[in-house]
Amino acid sequence: MPKKRENRGRRKGDKGHVGYVMCDNCGARVPEDKAVCVTRTYSPVDASLANELEKKGAIITRYPVTKCYCVNCAVHFGLIKIRAENERKSRARLF
C-alpha cells in the first residue's frame, strides 16, 4: 500500500499506543498525537478596560488556554490547510 503521508498523519512514531483527548468543538475522541492543539492567552478583563488599568499601573494576569481540535475542526477553523498531493510529505511547519 502506498503511504499518503510520511508520518501517517500522527506524531507518535514507534510508540504503539497513545491516549485520547476530546475535541473542544465537536466532542470527537481523537488520539493525543493526531489532535491539533493551540495555546492562546485569555484575559478575563475586557481589552479596553485592561489598557486603561495598565496605564494606571495595575497588573492584569493572562491565562494560557490550550484547546485541542480534531483534524476536521482544525481545517474548518483555518488552523491547518489542506495541502496538494505533492506537498503532503513535506515537513514544513503549518501554523
Side-chain angles (χ1 to χ4, degrees):
M1 286 281 298
K3 286 200 306 187
K4 193 171 183 182
R5 290 171 185 82
E6 187 177 347
N7 63 358
R8 304 169 308 281
R10 302 181 70 164
R11 290 189 300 264
K12 75 180 179 82
D14 221 7
K15 278 186 203 170
H17 181 76
V18 293
Y20 292 94
V21 294
M22 299 291 283
C23 173
D24 285 327
N25 185 47
C26 67
R29 189 172 167 233
V30 187
E32 287 175 351
D33 58 335
K34 193 169 192 170
V36 178
C37 294
V38 179
T39 302
R40 294 193 174 118
T41 55
Y42 164 74
S43 178
V45 182
D46 185 41
S48 60
L49 179 61
N51 289 336
E52 290 178 20
L53 292 174
E54 284 176 355
K55 285 179 186 174
K56 294 181 180 178
I59 297 173
I60 309 291
T61 57
R62 292 178 179 85
Y63 304 101
V65 176
T66 302
K67 292 194 172 192
C68 293
Y69 299 102
C70 64
V71 175
N72 290 337
C73 293
V75 169
H76 178 73
F77 288 136
L79 301 175
I80 57 176
K81 304 280 188 253
I82 298 174
R83 294 185 287 174
E85 216 173 303
N86 55 356
E87 297 173 358
R88 281 184 191 149
K89 293 187 183 187
S90 65
R91 294 277 189 149
R93 194 133 167 97
L94 298 178
F95 52 90

